[in-house]
mmCIF file of all heavy atoms in Angstrom:
data_model
loop_
_atom_site.group_PDB
_atom_site.id
_atom_site.type_symbol
_atom_site.label_atom_id
_atom_site.label_comp_id
_atom_site.label_asym_id
_atom_site.label_seq_id
_atom_site.Cartn_x
_atom_site.Cartn_y
_atom_site.Cartn_z
ATOM 1 N N TRP A 1 26.075 92.289 165.945
ATOM 2 C CA TRP A 1 26.320 91.077 166.777
ATOM 3 C C TRP A 1 26.698 89.992 165.789
ATOM 4 O O TRP A 1 27.722 89.164 166.094
ATOM 5 C CB TRP A 1 25.186 90.657 167.595
ATOM 6 C CG TRP A 1 25.101 91.387 168.854
ATOM 7 C CD1 TRP A 1 24.172 92.338 169.227
ATOM 8 C CD2 TRP A 1 25.962 91.212 169.920
ATOM 9 N NE1 TRP A 1 24.514 92.776 170.522
ATOM 10 C CE2 TRP A 1 25.660 92.135 170.992
ATOM 11 C CE3 TRP A 1 27.093 90.447 170.234
ATOM 12 C CZ2 TRP A 1 26.226 92.194 172.231
ATOM 13 C CZ3 TRP A 1 27.736 90.455 171.502
ATOM 14 C CH2 TRP A 1 27.309 91.366 172.446
ATOM 15 N N ARG A 2 26.103 89.840 164.721
ATOM 16 C CA ARG A 2 26.270 88.819 163.705
ATOM 17 C C ARG A 2 27.851 88.945 163.226
ATOM 18 O O ARG A 2 28.499 88.039 163.079
ATOM 19 C CB ARG A 2 25.445 88.854 162.635
ATOM 20 C CG ARG A 2 25.705 87.608 161.681
ATOM 21 C CD ARG A 2 24.841 87.397 160.435
ATOM 22 N NE ARG A 2 23.512 86.954 160.870
ATOM 23 C CZ ARG A 2 22.532 86.847 159.910
ATOM 24 N NH1 ARG A 2 22.767 87.231 158.661
ATOM 25 N NH2 ARG A 2 21.276 86.397 160.273
ATOM 26 N N VAL A 3 28.264 90.170 162.921
ATOM 27 C CA VAL A 3 29.538 90.461 162.448
ATOM 28 C C VAL A 3 30.521 90.168 163.458
ATOM 29 O O VAL A 3 31.575 89.475 163.227
ATOM 30 C CB VAL A 3 29.690 91.994 161.983
ATOM 31 C CG1 VAL A 3 31.121 92.315 161.752
ATOM 32 C CG2 VAL A 3 28.933 92.139 160.722
ATOM 33 N N ALA A 4 30.297 90.596 164.730
ATOM 34 C CA ALA A 4 31.232 90.235 165.856
ATOM 35 C C ALA A 4 31.425 88.817 166.022
ATOM 36 O O ALA A 4 32.497 88.229 166.197
ATOM 37 C CB ALA A 4 30.800 90.966 167.111
ATOM 38 N N ILE A 5 30.395 88.071 166.026
ATOM 39 C CA ILE A 5 30.417 86.599 166.206
ATOM 40 C C ILE A 5 31.109 86.039 164.957
ATOM 41 O O ILE A 5 31.851 85.014 165.179
ATOM 42 C CB ILE A 5 28.923 86.038 166.314
ATOM 43 C CG1 ILE A 5 28.499 86.526 167.818
ATOM 44 C CG2 ILE A 5 29.010 84.514 166.370
ATOM 45 C CD1 ILE A 5 27.107 86.316 168.129
ATOM 46 N N GLY A 6 30.877 86.418 163.818
ATOM 47 C CA GLY A 6 31.464 85.946 162.621
ATOM 48 C C GLY A 6 32.990 86.165 162.670
ATOM 49 O O GLY A 6 33.729 85.317 162.206
ATOM 50 N N LEU A 7 33.399 87.332 163.102
ATOM 51 C CA LEU A 7 34.835 87.546 163.307
ATOM 52 C C LEU A 7 35.474 86.522 164.233
ATOM 53 O O LEU A 7 36.612 86.093 164.069
ATOM 54 C CB LEU A 7 35.100 88.972 163.750
ATOM 55 C CG LEU A 7 34.811 90.053 162.721
ATOM 56 C CD1 LEU A 7 34.822 91.452 163.307
ATOM 57 C CD2 LEU A 7 35.836 89.877 161.527
ATOM 58 N N GLN A 8 34.705 86.152 165.234
ATOM 59 C CA GLN A 8 35.326 85.190 166.106
ATOM 60 C C GLN A 8 35.468 83.811 165.431
ATOM 61 O O GLN A 8 36.473 83.109 165.626
ATOM 62 C CB GLN A 8 34.310 84.926 167.463
ATOM 63 C CG GLN A 8 34.216 86.137 168.230
ATOM 64 C CD GLN A 8 35.579 86.453 168.905
ATOM 65 O OE1 GLN A 8 36.099 85.639 169.643
ATOM 66 N NE2 GLN A 8 36.043 87.700 168.723
ATOM 67 N N ALA A 9 34.499 83.507 164.584
ATOM 68 C CA ALA A 9 34.553 82.248 163.898
ATOM 69 C C ALA A 9 35.647 82.105 162.802
ATOM 70 O O ALA A 9 36.177 81.131 162.545
ATOM 71 C CB ALA A 9 33.122 82.090 163.127
ATOM 72 N N VAL A 10 36.012 83.307 162.270
ATOM 73 C CA VAL A 10 37.159 83.392 161.346
ATOM 74 C C VAL A 10 38.385 82.917 162.084
ATOM 75 O O VAL A 10 39.262 82.198 161.467
ATOM 76 C CB VAL A 10 37.387 84.848 160.841
ATOM 77 C CG1 VAL A 10 38.666 85.032 160.213
ATOM 78 C CG2 VAL A 10 36.233 85.137 159.932
ATOM 79 N N ASP A 11 38.534 83.189 163.381
ATOM 80 C CA ASP A 11 39.677 82.707 164.178
ATOM 81 C C ASP A 11 39.417 81.285 164.809
ATOM 82 O O ASP A 11 40.138 80.884 165.733
ATOM 83 C CB ASP A 11 39.994 83.744 165.252
ATOM 84 C CG ASP A 11 40.579 84.990 164.672
ATOM 85 O OD1 ASP A 11 41.235 84.937 163.634
ATOM 86 O OD2 ASP A 11 40.368 86.099 165.294
ATOM 87 N N ARG A 12 38.374 80.683 164.284
ATOM 88 C CA ARG A 12 37.979 79.347 164.827
ATOM 89 C C ARG A 12 37.612 79.306 166.237
ATOM 90 O O ARG A 12 37.911 78.497 166.985
ATOM 91 C CB ARG A 12 39.092 78.435 164.553
ATOM 92 C CG ARG A 12 39.277 78.147 163.065
ATOM 93 C CD ARG A 12 40.172 76.842 162.825
ATOM 94 N NE ARG A 12 40.125 76.630 161.405
ATOM 95 C CZ ARG A 12 41.249 76.398 160.735
ATOM 96 N NH1 ARG A 12 42.463 76.421 161.297
ATOM 97 N NH2 ARG A 12 41.117 76.108 159.385
ATOM 98 N N LEU A 13 36.973 80.413 166.793
ATOM 99 C CA LEU A 13 36.492 80.503 168.117
ATOM 100 C C LEU A 13 35.026 80.476 168.076
ATOM 101 O O LEU A 13 34.434 80.924 167.112
ATOM 102 C CB LEU A 13 37.047 81.871 168.705
ATOM 103 C CG LEU A 13 38.473 82.191 168.720
ATOM 104 C CD1 LEU A 13 38.780 83.575 169.152
ATOM 105 C CD2 LEU A 13 39.149 81.219 169.740
ATOM 106 N N THR A 14 34.428 79.897 169.088
ATOM 107 C CA THR A 14 32.991 79.892 169.177
ATOM 108 C C THR A 14 32.607 80.753 170.392
ATOM 109 O O THR A 14 33.332 80.943 171.338
ATOM 110 C CB THR A 14 32.468 78.398 169.377
ATOM 111 O OG1 THR A 14 33.097 77.859 170.525
ATOM 112 C CG2 THR A 14 32.801 77.609 168.123
ATOM 113 N N VAL A 15 31.440 81.289 170.272
ATOM 114 C CA VAL A 15 30.949 82.004 171.365
ATOM 115 C C VAL A 15 29.983 81.233 172.183
ATOM 116 O O VAL A 15 29.364 80.256 171.811
ATOM 117 C CB VAL A 15 30.158 83.367 170.878
ATOM 118 C CG1 VAL A 15 31.191 84.207 170.165
ATOM 119 C CG2 VAL A 15 28.971 82.980 170.056
ATOM 120 N N SER A 16 29.880 81.659 173.476
ATOM 121 C CA SER A 16 28.904 80.820 174.430
ATOM 122 C C SER A 16 27.515 81.138 174.328
ATOM 123 O O SER A 16 27.172 82.160 173.595
ATOM 124 C CB SER A 16 29.479 81.187 175.856
ATOM 125 O OG SER A 16 29.109 82.565 176.180
ATOM 126 N N ASP A 17 26.706 80.213 174.740
ATOM 127 C CA ASP A 17 25.362 80.478 174.627
ATOM 128 C C ASP A 17 24.932 81.755 175.586
ATOM 129 O O ASP A 17 24.066 82.467 175.271
ATOM 130 C CB ASP A 17 24.499 79.238 175.262
ATOM 131 C CG ASP A 17 24.603 78.063 174.267
ATOM 132 O OD1 ASP A 17 24.783 78.266 173.026
ATOM 133 O OD2 ASP A 17 24.435 77.021 174.724
ATOM 134 N N TYR A 18 25.686 81.931 176.604
ATOM 135 C CA TYR A 18 25.502 83.017 177.516
ATOM 136 C C TYR A 18 25.662 84.335 176.636
ATOM 137 O O TYR A 18 24.908 85.281 176.818
ATOM 138 C CB TYR A 18 26.456 83.008 178.602
ATOM 139 C CG TYR A 18 26.320 84.252 179.646
ATOM 140 C CD1 TYR A 18 25.287 84.286 180.297
ATOM 141 C CD2 TYR A 18 27.354 85.176 179.774
ATOM 142 C CE1 TYR A 18 25.079 85.331 181.314
ATOM 143 C CE2 TYR A 18 27.295 86.212 180.658
ATOM 144 C CZ TYR A 18 26.049 86.326 181.370
ATOM 145 O OH TYR A 18 25.968 87.320 182.289
ATOM 146 N N LEU A 19 26.697 84.446 175.854
ATOM 147 C CA LEU A 19 26.882 85.616 175.082
ATOM 148 C C LEU A 19 25.749 85.922 174.188
ATOM 149 O O LEU A 19 25.344 86.918 173.899
ATOM 150 C CB LEU A 19 28.219 85.632 174.301
ATOM 151 C CG LEU A 19 28.407 86.811 173.511
ATOM 152 C CD1 LEU A 19 29.246 87.857 174.091
ATOM 153 C CD2 LEU A 19 28.902 86.523 172.202
ATOM 154 N N ILE A 20 25.297 84.720 173.523
ATOM 155 C CA ILE A 20 24.166 84.919 172.528
ATOM 156 C C ILE A 20 22.861 85.337 173.224
ATOM 157 O O ILE A 20 22.139 86.175 172.840
ATOM 158 C CB ILE A 20 23.864 83.575 171.790
ATOM 159 C CG1 ILE A 20 25.191 83.338 170.881
ATOM 160 C CG2 ILE A 20 22.652 83.583 171.016
ATOM 161 C CD1 ILE A 20 25.168 81.944 170.167
ATOM 162 N N GLN A 21 22.633 84.872 174.550
ATOM 163 C CA GLN A 21 21.457 85.341 175.294
ATOM 164 C C GLN A 21 21.734 86.890 175.549
ATOM 165 O O GLN A 21 20.637 87.626 175.460
ATOM 166 C CB GLN A 21 21.371 84.658 176.638
ATOM 167 C CG GLN A 21 21.003 83.141 176.478
ATOM 168 C CD GLN A 21 21.174 82.372 177.722
ATOM 169 O OE1 GLN A 21 21.573 82.888 178.762
ATOM 170 N NE2 GLN A 21 20.804 81.112 177.697
ATOM 171 N N LEU A 22 22.886 87.313 175.997
ATOM 172 C CA LEU A 22 23.003 88.691 176.268
ATOM 173 C C LEU A 22 22.890 89.561 174.891
ATOM 174 O O LEU A 22 22.329 90.594 175.013
ATOM 175 C CB LEU A 22 24.444 88.968 176.856
ATOM 176 C CG LEU A 22 24.760 88.376 178.228
ATOM 177 C CD1 LEU A 22 26.153 88.663 178.694
ATOM 178 C CD2 LEU A 22 23.651 88.980 179.289
ATOM 179 N N ALA A 23 23.359 89.024 173.836
ATOM 180 C CA ALA A 23 23.260 89.802 172.564
ATOM 181 C C ALA A 23 21.792 89.903 172.280
ATOM 182 O O ALA A 23 21.358 91.061 171.784
ATOM 183 C CB ALA A 23 23.912 88.982 171.513
ATOM 184 N N ARG A 24 21.010 88.791 172.481
ATOM 185 C CA ARG A 24 19.560 88.989 172.194
ATOM 186 C C ARG A 24 18.869 90.056 173.001
ATOM 187 O O ARG A 24 18.040 90.862 172.591
ATOM 188 C CB ARG A 24 18.824 87.687 172.395
ATOM 189 C CG ARG A 24 19.047 86.761 171.305
ATOM 190 C CD ARG A 24 18.234 85.388 171.366
ATOM 191 N NE ARG A 24 18.549 84.426 170.417
ATOM 192 C CZ ARG A 24 18.200 84.556 169.136
ATOM 193 N NH1 ARG A 24 17.521 85.550 168.660
ATOM 194 N NH2 ARG A 24 18.660 83.546 168.269
ATOM 195 N N ARG A 25 19.371 90.076 174.312
ATOM 196 C CA ARG A 25 18.766 91.094 175.247
ATOM 197 C C ARG A 25 19.233 92.507 174.789
ATOM 198 O O ARG A 25 18.441 93.399 174.941
ATOM 199 C CB ARG A 25 19.130 90.808 176.746
ATOM 200 C CG ARG A 25 18.530 89.543 177.243
ATOM 201 C CD ARG A 25 18.916 89.220 178.640
ATOM 202 N NE ARG A 25 18.502 90.193 179.569
ATOM 203 C CZ ARG A 25 18.916 90.329 180.701
ATOM 204 N NH1 ARG A 25 19.714 89.443 181.221
ATOM 205 N NH2 ARG A 25 18.423 91.322 181.550
ATOM 206 N N ASN A 26 20.396 92.587 174.233
ATOM 207 C CA ASN A 26 20.857 93.942 173.752
ATOM 208 C C ASN A 26 20.079 94.249 172.496
ATOM 209 O O ASN A 26 19.611 95.432 172.308
ATOM 210 C CB ASN A 26 22.316 93.779 173.488
ATOM 211 C CG ASN A 26 22.724 95.103 172.709
ATOM 212 O OD1 ASN A 26 23.038 94.982 171.505
ATOM 213 N ND2 ASN A 26 22.863 96.232 173.439
ATOM 214 N N ILE A 27 19.858 93.385 171.597
ATOM 215 C CA ILE A 27 19.157 93.506 170.402
ATOM 216 C C ILE A 27 17.729 94.051 170.685
ATOM 217 O O ILE A 27 17.200 94.965 170.188
ATOM 218 C CB ILE A 27 19.076 92.416 169.478
ATOM 219 C CG1 ILE A 27 20.540 92.092 169.002
ATOM 220 C CG2 ILE A 27 18.083 92.606 168.349
ATOM 221 C CD1 ILE A 27 20.627 90.762 168.377
ATOM 222 N N GLU A 28 17.045 93.426 171.697
ATOM 223 C CA GLU A 28 15.696 93.752 172.192
ATOM 224 C C GLU A 28 15.591 95.077 172.929
ATOM 225 O O GLU A 28 14.616 95.662 172.979
ATOM 226 C CB GLU A 28 15.151 92.596 173.018
ATOM 227 C CG GLU A 28 14.812 91.301 172.329
ATOM 228 C CD GLU A 28 13.567 91.487 171.527
ATOM 229 O OE1 GLU A 28 12.711 92.460 171.771
ATOM 230 O OE2 GLU A 28 13.456 90.661 170.612
ATOM 231 N N GLY A 29 16.732 95.587 173.218
ATOM 232 C CA GLY A 29 16.910 96.931 173.990
ATOM 233 C C GLY A 29 16.779 96.809 175.441
ATOM 234 O O GLY A 29 16.614 97.830 176.132
ATOM 235 N N GLU A 30 16.826 95.442 175.945
ATOM 236 C CA GLU A 30 16.737 95.288 177.410
ATOM 237 C C GLU A 30 18.110 95.759 178.164
ATOM 238 O O GLU A 30 17.990 96.213 179.257
ATOM 239 C CB GLU A 30 16.516 93.898 177.802
ATOM 240 C CG GLU A 30 15.183 93.319 177.308
ATOM 241 C CD GLU A 30 14.981 91.841 177.593
ATOM 242 O OE1 GLU A 30 15.694 91.410 178.455
ATOM 243 O OE2 GLU A 30 14.339 91.193 176.794
ATOM 244 N N LEU A 31 19.165 95.592 177.392
ATOM 245 C CA LEU A 31 20.430 95.895 177.937
ATOM 246 C C LEU A 31 21.142 96.789 176.963
ATOM 247 O O LEU A 31 21.172 96.526 175.742
ATOM 248 C CB LEU A 31 21.315 94.570 178.105
ATOM 249 C CG LEU A 31 20.833 93.606 179.114
ATOM 250 C CD1 LEU A 31 21.716 92.321 179.014
ATOM 251 C CD2 LEU A 31 20.960 94.114 180.529
#
């Protein structure tokens, strides 16, 4: 997830808080 979000930042794009919440749920194994 950090790499994916970092690649967005390279293109000067920011990710939403919603995506970060989903990423955390994926990391935790919930999704």
Side-chain angles (χ1 to χ4, degrees):
W1 277 108
R2 188 185 280 177
V3 168
I5 291 168
L7 289 171
Q8 297 296 304
V10 167
D11 289 332
R12 295 190 172 134
L13 301 172
T14 58
V15 296
S16 66
D17 290 337
Y18 180 66
L19 178 96
I20 292 172
Q21 290 171 358
L22 293 178
R24 285 190 186 284
R25 291 179 65 194
N26 171 253
I27 294 166
E28 287 289 336
E30 293 175 31
L31 296 173

